[in-house]
Amino acid sequence: MRSFIRTVNRISEISGKILMWFAWILAFIIMWEIVARTFFNMPTIWAHELSGMFFGALSILSGAYTLRQKGHVNMDLIYMNRTPRTKAIMDLITFPFFLLFVITILWLGWEFAWRSFKILEVSQSDWAPPLWPIKFTIPLGAFLLLIQGIANLCNDILIIKTGKGETY
């Protein structure tokens, strides 16, 4: 169980480090558009659409890394001053809601992306980039979030049983 937790945590860490570059690329694209539009009066066709795609991918794919870092919202008033074991029990109780949420996103996201792939959907803009690759980030992000959630569940079980889990 500990090796599963460490492996999933490592996957989330690596994906987080990769996604960090998406933010830099996004900033560069937006800066490029601002400079081209403002100083050279040459707006681009692609910058707005590509920045939306990068932002969407960054948002959906970073969920597992955020969960790994305990960055999602908690009810701090109730959660903050509890022992690790009490927090683990609370996480265990709320896990079915997490599971329902993530499986719904995974299922509907897969259908959404697969439909887009089957017709090789492209944007309606003049640039017309393919949309199906970016739509596949939805089920991929949900899958990464699911396995990180399961790893966190395993860690919570370890904490409840032994008082010690894998360190964060």
Side-chain angles (χ1 to χ4, degrees), residues 6-165:
R6 281 192 292 270
T7 301
V8 172
N9 287 347
R10 185 76 179 128
I11 290 168
S12 293
E13 287 292 327
I14 290 169
S15 69
K17 285 182 169 70
I18 291 169
L19 289 168
M20 172 189 68
W21 292 102
F22 276 49
W24 285 103
I25 294 168
L26 179 60
F28 178 77
I29 291 168
I30 292 169
M31 185 182 66
W32 180 276
E33 173 63 14
I34 290 168
V35 169
R37 181 181 301 262
T38 305
F39 295 110
F40 301 110
N41 197 25
M42 296 177 61
T44 62
I45 295 172
W46 55 268
H48 177 72
E49 199 158 12
L50 189 60
S51 65
M53 290 177 176
F54 266 88
F55 181 73
L58 178 63
S59 298
I60 194 75
L61 292 173
S62 63
Y65 177 77
T66 305
L67 185 62
R68 161 86 173 100
Q69 299 297 323
K70 302 280 188 193
H72 288 286
V73 176
N74 285 322
M75 295 252 333
D76 281 344
L77 185 63
I78 298 169
Y79 197 81
M80 190 170 61
N81 293 324
R82 303 292 181 245
T83 65
R85 185 171 185 191
T86 304
K87 287 179 182 179
I89 291 169
M90 292 170 72
D91 289 343
L92 195 67
I93 291 168
T94 59
F95 183 77
F97 301 107
F98 166 82
L99 193 61
L100 179 65
F101 171 74
V102 174
I103 287 176
T104 301
I105 292 174
L106 183 61
W107 182 359
L108 295 177
W110 175 259
E111 288 178 355
F112 181 65
W114 184 248
R115 242 181 289 129
S116 181
F117 174 74
K118 285 195 310 190
I119 63 170
L120 298 176
E121 183 179 15
V122 297
S123 170
Q124 297 299 312
S125 71
D126 289 337
W127 181 42
L131 293 177
W132 61 267
I134 205 69
K135 289 184 178 185
F136 269 102
T137 63
I138 298 169
L140 176 60
F143 176 74
L144 291 172
L145 187 61
L146 177 64
I147 62 171
Q148 184 61 56
I150 292 169
N152 286 3
L153 174 70
C154 292
N155 197 50
D156 290 335
I157 291 169
L158 282 174
I159 290 170
I160 292 167
K161 286 171 105 176
T162 66
K164 251 182 110 174

